[in-house]
Amino acid sequence: MDKIKVAVIGSCATRDNFNSQFVNNYKDYYKCVVSQHQMSLISLTSDPIPFIATNVSGDTTEFNKLHLISELEKSIIYHLKINDPDYVILDFYADLFFGIRELNNSYITDKVFKFEKVNIFKDLEVGNSITLKKNFNNYLKMWKRSADIFVELLKEELPNCKIVINKARFTNEFFDQKTKQIKNVTEELGHNLNLDLYNQWWEVLDQYFIEKHGVRYIDYEDKHYLADPNHIWDLFYVHFTNEYYQDFTKKFIKIIIDDLIAEKKAIKNLNRIEELSTRINLVKNSTFNLGKSFWTYWHNDFKIISEDNSINKDSNILTINKTGEKKDINRQLWSNAIEVNADGDQTYTISFEVKIEDIDKVDSQQAIFSIRLYDKPTGIFQNTSVQHYYIKKNQFNIRNNEWVKCTYTITPFTGKYLKVGPYLFRNGNISWRKIKVEKGDSATEWLPSYKEDI
């Protein structure tokens, strides 16, 4: 089976979960096909910004150059379409921490302090900065619109891709190995940030996306994670200790497993619907078109009659009429041996139509049909059967001289071969037609057995 494909749009809080230095075996479960670094949702859904990229240079890293290019091109959209991921995981760190910047009548994530070092940036028209901190209501309105656009875009272009929100939060604590104390990250970094307020904003963004669009999410509930002072990207508010990455992995895998189970059930239900319409009748010569063929222990008291000339389109009728008997004569007729799975889980449904001229005249033990299971296909008699059932007239709402469909479901726990057949202990005038045995726990429309009309 192909591995699950994952796309990531977010910060280290999400992207590091797809880095072997943090989760060394993540590739055993899925592969990351797209990884977009810290991009505002507003930037992602804004118009591309034209630029001439014949020679991108500058006193900054190649990573920052490529990040700027992706912000200008909005290339993440194309990467998603090309790679067709099963899941796209989002976090909204970039919207919270950076906000956006107007640029050439569009928007990019406001990381101008890094982007301005790239040569192509100087030719672009830089406008105002918009952030949650400075323009909360305006920013939130723009962001919500972008969230809606992004969801609609995925529905149109990647209808099978599922969105997962990573509900990570800023942490302001780390454990100092030297002092053996918990310290504040903000104090260590010399920042003046109200992380509680940032986390409240983060909750607002997450909940809008989740509630408006009904997407899946990874929730850490009240669990608090510490920042890692020895993190490979250094100490920061979303650079956690190892416990965080292990929890993310467990929670994300659970989402995948739940989805796979749901998909399997959906496929099973679809197959069941298709199966119900085309279930094979396991009784050979169920029409009696072939006379006595494929039936055993045939008593001459049973007669085959036909009501019309189109016998290949319908079932002939088997009938018996006995009166005046003073003791049981046990008239019976047995189908071909049907090999079954008697594991105690697989069900089989027996169905037939019956017509009784006078119900009260069916006497003695009042059975009208019988079911037996044997270890060998040659078995016939009850004393050699391993399971047996009699179907009696009072088990169904049978009315005089009317055809009634009777069904009976069994789950064999022993035996390898199933046989069914009309049965009369003593007296009665009974007719049967459309006998069927099928795999499953319900009766479907009667059909002849495989190639029975040939």
Side-chain angles (χ1 to χ4, degrees), residues 34 101 107 109 147 185 190 230 273 365 377 401:
V34 177
R101 176 79 70 157
Y107 299 98
T109 308
V185 180
N230 301 311
I273 292 171
Q365 299 183 51
N401 216 32

Side-chain angles (χ1 to χ4, degrees), residues 402-416:
E402 292 184 16
W403 285 107
V404 175
K405 185 171 182 177
C406 304
T407 65
Y408 192 84
T409 299
I410 63 170
T411 305
F413 56 87
T414 187
K416 191 174 181 181

Side-chain angles (χ1 to χ4, degrees), residues 62-79:
E62 288 301 312
F63 185 87
N64 287 338
K65 294 173 189 175
L66 292 174
H67 187 186
L68 173 59
I69 291 172
S70 71
E71 291 270 355
L72 299 176
E73 292 179 335
K74 315 302 179 189
S75 52
I76 178 63
I77 300 300
Y78 300 99
H79 293 163

Side-chain angles (χ1 to χ4, degrees), residues 41 45 140-155 163 208-209 211-213:
L41 204 59
T45 57
L140 187 60
K141 181 179 180 180
M142 296 174 66
W143 184 90
K144 288 181 177 180
R145 180 174 178 273
S146 296
D148 298 344
I149 291 172
F150 180 75
V151 171
E152 290 305 312
L153 181 65
L154 254 64
K155 285 181 179 178
I163 297 174
Y208 174 81
F209 209 112
E211 292 174 5
K212 174 69 181 293
H213 298 291

Side-chain angles (χ1 to χ4, degrees), residues 285-301:
N285 191 23
S286 64
T287 60
F288 297 101
N289 287 351
L290 302 177
K292 298 179 180 180
S293 298
F294 302 109
W295 291 87
T296 57
Y297 207 62
W298 192 287
H299 290 267
N300 290 331
D301 292 327

Side-chain angles (χ1 to χ4, degrees), residues 131-142:
T131 67
L132 281 166
K133 186 175 182 179
K134 293 188 296 184
N135 319 88
F136 182 84
N137 290 332
N138 185 35
Y139 193 96
L140 187 60
K141 181 179 180 180
M142 296 174 66

